């Protein structure tokens, strides 16, 4: 998605340790106009797929998923990272290891929001080591729902997540795949 | 907002301790069609106000704010509850005491996303004791930006947050104000 790549080139900041900061438009400040273009592009790529619901994970996936859902005309469920007193009923849970935060955490979703046979599209802002996406897939499997596909805004192609998920046969659509990035020169190369 | 009140009556679950669960459509599973109606209603109520940016707080405010922003044609910034290695530069921070989680936590926003003189609309899902909203107002004041108003989806009118904020002269627009709720009979009364 050329518009997205241009925006990453313009506003993305590369840091040592494979960190790509896009908090100016994607995951701290959110450019809703761009999110709508992202929504249209996911709809174009998943046009042949039946999507009953979108599943994402708090916090940075939520805004993107909400806008994207308008193009699939479906609700969004977001998996939560911490137990709340307001959660009850049967919960599905899985463990996820965060690349950004270097720690493991429990992710939960109320089982009544993922039903057997439902077609679930996973949407997230980043794909790096694939742990968040795999965690969401585990939740979908635990609910006996169907994975319709995985839509990622930015994939770090130099980390193993994309390979891992595609080897398992999952359909992954990433709108920008970073092949290489150099914090010293602030240059970034995308996969063609 | 009648559509919202009807939905709360239909799908809201009251629990002891002033807990109103609306996770079926508002803050775990998200009904994006309803969010669009909420966005239209906030735009109608704040039609006379200049809004340059919407400020909300993770996690449950994000989806609502993203959809609402489409009606104000502005970006959204969400305050974060935990330090990330990807945050740097100058941060504005404040402490918030959570009604739901019964604890204090630090909330931060990158200062470059709230500029002096900008008109900021606060959007959140719930108003109870007012601590989250006050925290966001503190961030806006610290940035020397202007508070355009506070838009709340559900206000618990029997808690002091609404009184507190209105006494300070802030313009608060709540789409549904709960006057009373009874977990035993599952009945709810809204303020007229």
């Amino acid at each position: 998605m050329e518009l997205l790549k241009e925006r990453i080139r313009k506003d993305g900041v590369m840091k040592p340790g494979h960190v790509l900061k896009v908090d100016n438009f994607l995951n701290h400040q959110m450019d809703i106009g761009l999110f709508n273009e992202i929504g249209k592009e996911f709809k174009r790529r998943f046009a042949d797929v039946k999507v009953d619901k979108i599943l994402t994970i708090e916090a940075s996936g939520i805004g993107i998923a909400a806008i994207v859902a308008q193009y699939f005309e479906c609700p969004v469920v977001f998996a939560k990272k911490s137990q709340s007193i307001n959660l009850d009923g049967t919960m599905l849970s899985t463990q996820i290891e965060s690349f950004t935060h270097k720690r493991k955490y429990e992710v939960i979703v109320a089982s009544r929001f993922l039903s057997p046979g439902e077609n679930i599209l996973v949407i997230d802002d980043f794909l790096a080591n694939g742990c968040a996406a795999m965690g969401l897939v585990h939740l979908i499997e635990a609910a006996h729902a169907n994975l319709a596909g995985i839509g990622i805004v930015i994939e770090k192609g130099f980390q193993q997540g994309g390979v891992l998920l595609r080897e398992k046969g999952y359909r992954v659509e990433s709108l920008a795949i970073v092949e290489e990035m150099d914090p010293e020169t602030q240059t970034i190369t995308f996969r063609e």
Side-chain angles (χ1 to χ4, degrees), chain A:
Chain A
M1 185 182 171
E2 208 45 52
L3 182 72
L4 174 65
K5 291 178 191 170
E6 279 168 27
R7 188 62 176 274
I8 297 167
R9 279 196 197 96
K10 178 172 160 279
D11 286 336
V13 177
M14 288 139 253
K15 309 218 134 203
H18 297 317
V19 172
L20 173 61
K21 285 187 49 146
V22 286
D23 58 357
N24 183 47
F25 61 93
L26 194 69
N27 50 21
H28 187 13
Q29 181 164 255
M30 307 190 293
D31 180 338
I32 305 300
L34 177 68
F35 284 19
N36 270 290
E37 295 306 314
I38 286 170
K40 286 176 202 167
E41 179 65 14
F42 277 134
K43 179 61 190 175
R44 195 182 67 79
R45 296 197 187 198
F46 288 110
D48 59 318
V49 171
K50 188 172 183 301
V51 174
D52 299 313
K53 200 170 277 185
I54 287 175
L55 177 65
T56 188
I57 184 167
E58 69 175 23
S60 45
I62 298 174
I64 300 159
I67 300 293
V68 170
Q70 297 180 134
Y71 297 91
F72 291 90
E73 296 179 13
C74 72
V76 176
V77 173
F78 61 90
K80 300 192 174 204
K81 287 181 182 169
S82 66
Q83 195 77 36
S84 161
I85 60 158
N86 282 5
L87 289 171
D88 61 11
T90 314
M91 291 289 152
L92 303 170
S93 80
T94 190
Q95 277 223 334
I96 288 181
E97 192 169 349
S98 165
F99 170 74
T100 311
H101 297 269
K102 317 277 186 217
R103 63 179 182 85
K104 285 189 182 179
Y105 51 89
E106 194 79 9
V107 168
I108 51 177
V109 68
S111 61
R112 69 191 184 282
F113 297 143
L114 292 179
S115 302
E118 267 187 334
N119 301 294
I120 313 288
L121 177 64
V122 166
I123 293 286
D124 207 2
D125 58 339
F126 268 99
L127 173 61
N129 62 19
C131 285
M134 274 309 305
L136 295 177
V137 172
H138 289 152
L139 294 173
I140 291 166
E141 287 171 350
H144 304 290
N146 307 318
L147 176 67
I150 301 170
I152 299 292
V153 180
I154 303 175
E155 177 179 338
K156 291 174 173 171
F158 50 84
Q159 287 184 259
Q160 83 279 18
V163 171
L164 191 84
L165 295 171
R166 290 182 184 99
E167 274 178 1
K168 285 183 176 288
Y170 305 144
R171 177 162 167 186
V172 182
E173 293 283 353
S174 300
L175 304 189
I177 302 179
V178 180
E179 200 68 85
E180 278 184 279
M181 53 186 204
D182 185 342
E184 280 201 23
T185 57
Q186 290 293 313
T187 51
I188 189 162
T189 313
F190 294 103
R191 190 176 296 170
E192 286 308 313

